């Protein structure tokens, strides 16, 4: 404990040392006081920087090992810059041009290096601490998410099995209806758990890859026909459509198609189109079903949840994050008189390469 407290005093000691150099210059130099004070003010600035670091270290209670690294960085920079000042003074002297007040030059060099090194060291240690805390939080959330998902899946399976058995064995229509409603809501809980896992997987793998989006779209159309043979899905897909996308681009297309079915009780017609348009490769899904509530579109547009404005499920968020992590553009709009149009725009391969080397394009 005493050792840790002593280590945390080192930044303050360095500030006091620089302050002592400034006071010594004023007291020992023979120049007029205004000149001495002007010269000493340079050292006072460096002392103020070190004092700031000392206050932040004390207020934030940085661990002693971090403070020790900070001090080492500060002293190391002081030695380097102070050494360069000494080299300058010696070289001037060797060339017959002695430096007046050479000790002041050395003091300023050492103080400059020490203060800048201390400031840089402080922010480096702060970033390290924040990164360590973030990694720790991420690890805890990952464990929590896995435990919750596992337990939710097990509990949902039990509840669904019991409710399904009871619904089949009862001869009361109202009881069976209530049990079927219970099963539907249990299935929704399970679906939310799976979508949460999908989102976690998206955020853990955010590197875009070059792929043939036409092949991805055809696979999702085939999957959709297998799971929803009663739905009329018309697709217009070229032979090839290169794009740079998140590895889960197929999941976004799947969610877009499934949303058109899930939120419509009546039969719905769906059209999927893949097209290359200049620097963009676009997947457009249009249906003639019910509209998406405006509050859900507002929540997506503002990237946050509100008490009265929220997305009822996670499907739209999955679509959004796949497109966002692909550095793409997402447009969702209600059609007139009814229906929804979803446009997923991904950068084409050649333009994605060019944009990565230059500034990121702003706007749609």
């Amino acid at each position: 404990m005493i050792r840790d407290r002593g280590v945390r005093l080192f930044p303050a000691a360095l500030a006091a040392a620089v302050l002592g150099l400034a006071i010594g210059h004023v007291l020992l130099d023979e120049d007029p006081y205004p000149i001495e004070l002007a010269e000493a003010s340079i050292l006072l600035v460096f002392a103020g920087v070190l004092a700031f670091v000392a206050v932040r270290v004390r207020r934030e209670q940085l661990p002693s090992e971090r403070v020790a690294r900070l001090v080492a960085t500060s002293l190391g920079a002081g030695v380097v810059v102070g050494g360069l000042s000494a080299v300058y003074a010696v070289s001037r002297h060797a060339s017959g041009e002695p430096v007046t007040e050479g000790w002041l030059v050395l003091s300023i060099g050492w103080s400059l290096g020490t203060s800048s090194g201390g400031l840089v060291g402080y922010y480096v240690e702060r970033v390290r601490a924040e990164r360590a805390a973030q990694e720790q939080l991420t690890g805890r959330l990952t464990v929590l998410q896995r435990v919750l998902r596992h337990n939710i899946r097990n509990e949902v399976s039990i509840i669904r099995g019991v409710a399904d058995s009871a619904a089949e064995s009862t001869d009361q229509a109202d009881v069976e209806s209530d049990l079927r409603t219970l099963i539907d809501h249990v299935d929704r809980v399970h679906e939310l758990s799976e979508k949460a896992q999908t989102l976690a997987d998206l955020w853990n793998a955010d590197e875009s890859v070059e792929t043939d989006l036409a092949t991805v779209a055809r696979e999702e159309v085939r999957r959709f026909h297998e799971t929803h043979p009663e739905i009329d899905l018309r697709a217009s897909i070229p032979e090839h459509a290169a794009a740079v996308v998140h590895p889960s681009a197929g999941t976004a297309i799947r969610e877009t198609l499934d949303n058109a079915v899930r939120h419509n009780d009546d039969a719905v017609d769906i059209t999927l189109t893949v097209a290359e348009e200049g620097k963009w490769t676009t997947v457009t899904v249009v249906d003639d079903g019910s509209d998406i509530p405006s509050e859900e579109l507002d929540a997506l547009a503002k990237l946050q949840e509100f008490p009265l404005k929220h997305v009822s499920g996670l499907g739209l968020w999955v679509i959004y994050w796949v497109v966002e992590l692909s550095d793409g553009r997402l447009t969702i709009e209600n059609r007139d008189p009814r229906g929804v149009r979803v446009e997923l725009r991904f950068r084409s391969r050649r333009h994605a390469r060019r944009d990565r080397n230059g500034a990121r394009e702003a706007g749609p």
Side-chain angles (χ1 to χ4, degrees), residues 77-107:
V79 170
V80 171
V81 180
L84 292 175
S85 301
V87 170
Y88 168 76
V90 170
S91 63
R92 294 275 294 182
H93 181 76
S95 64
E97 302 177 5
V99 179
T100 57
E101 299 186 353
W103 74 273
L104 177 61
V105 173
L106 296 178
S107 297

Side-chain angles (χ1 to χ4, degrees), residues 33 42 65 183 216 255 347:
Y33 274 109
I42 301 175
E65 62 272 12
I183 292 173
V216 175
E255 285 294 334
R347 294 183 184 274

Side-chain angles (χ1 to χ4, degrees), residues 120-322:
V120 170
Y122 163 71
Y123 281 108
V124 166
E125 293 304 324
R126 184 173 178 178
V127 169
R128 284 178 176 173
E130 292 175 352
R131 183 174 298 175
Q134 185 179 23
E135 290 176 353
Q136 185 181 52
L137 177 61
T138 300
R140 291 174 178 175
L141 290 176
T142 299
V143 172
L144 178 61
Q145 183 264 337
R146 289 177 179 174
V147 171
L148 285 177
R149 181 170 177 255
H150 175 75
N151 289 342
I152 288 175
R153 185 168 57 240
N154 290 344
E155 298 300 326
V156 162
S157 297
I158 294 173
I159 295 173
R160 197 186 193 290
V162 173
D164 193 50
S165 177
E168 292 180 355
S169 61
T170 185
D171 55 359
Q172 301 181 36
D174 55 342
V175 174
E176 181 180 0
S177 177
D178 291 341
L179 289 172
R180 294 300 178 190
T181 301
L182 173 63
I183 292 173
D184 290 340
H185 283 279
V186 167
D187 288 341
R188 290 186 62 186
V189 170
H190 180 263
E191 181 184 359
L192 284 173
S193 174
E194 295 301 313
K195 292 292 175 58
Q197 177 63 41
T198 300
L199 283 174
D201 293 339
L202 290 178
W203 295 328
N204 289 331
D206 58 356
E207 291 294 329
S208 298
V209 295
E210 296 182 358
T211 189
D212 183 4
L213 202 56
T215 301
V216 175
R218 274 192 292 270
E219 174 60 24
E220 294 304 325
V221 168
R222 182 195 63 78
R223 185 196 304 266
F224 183 87
H225 282 309
E226 290 180 354
T227 56
H228 303 284
E230 75 284 359
I231 301 298
D232 184 13
L233 169 61
R234 296 181 298 275
S236 175
I237 305 173
E239 184 177 355
H240 298 289
V244 177
V245 299
H246 188 275
S248 297
T251 302
I253 298 175
R254 188 183 316 156
E255 285 294 334
T256 305
L257 294 173
D258 288 345
N259 276 339
V261 177
R262 185 181 303 111
H263 300 292
N264 289 285
D265 295 331
D266 301 329
V268 59
D269 291 336
I270 306 174
T271 301
L272 180 145
T273 304
V274 178
E276 290 187 277
E277 303 168 347
K279 65 175 61 177
W280 298 101
T281 299
T282 305
V283 178
T284 305
V285 177
V286 178
D287 68 66
D288 61 355
S290 58
D291 294 345
I292 296 178
S294 59
E295 58 267 22
E296 298 199 7
L297 296 180
D298 290 343
L300 278 174
K302 296 177 180 178
L303 285 180
Q304 53 188 325
E305 296 280 350
F306 294 94
L308 298 178
K309 291 186 176 182
H310 64 280
V311 177
S312 57
L314 295 179
L316 290 180
W317 285 115
V318 170
I319 300 169
Y320 169 82
W321 278 110
V322 169

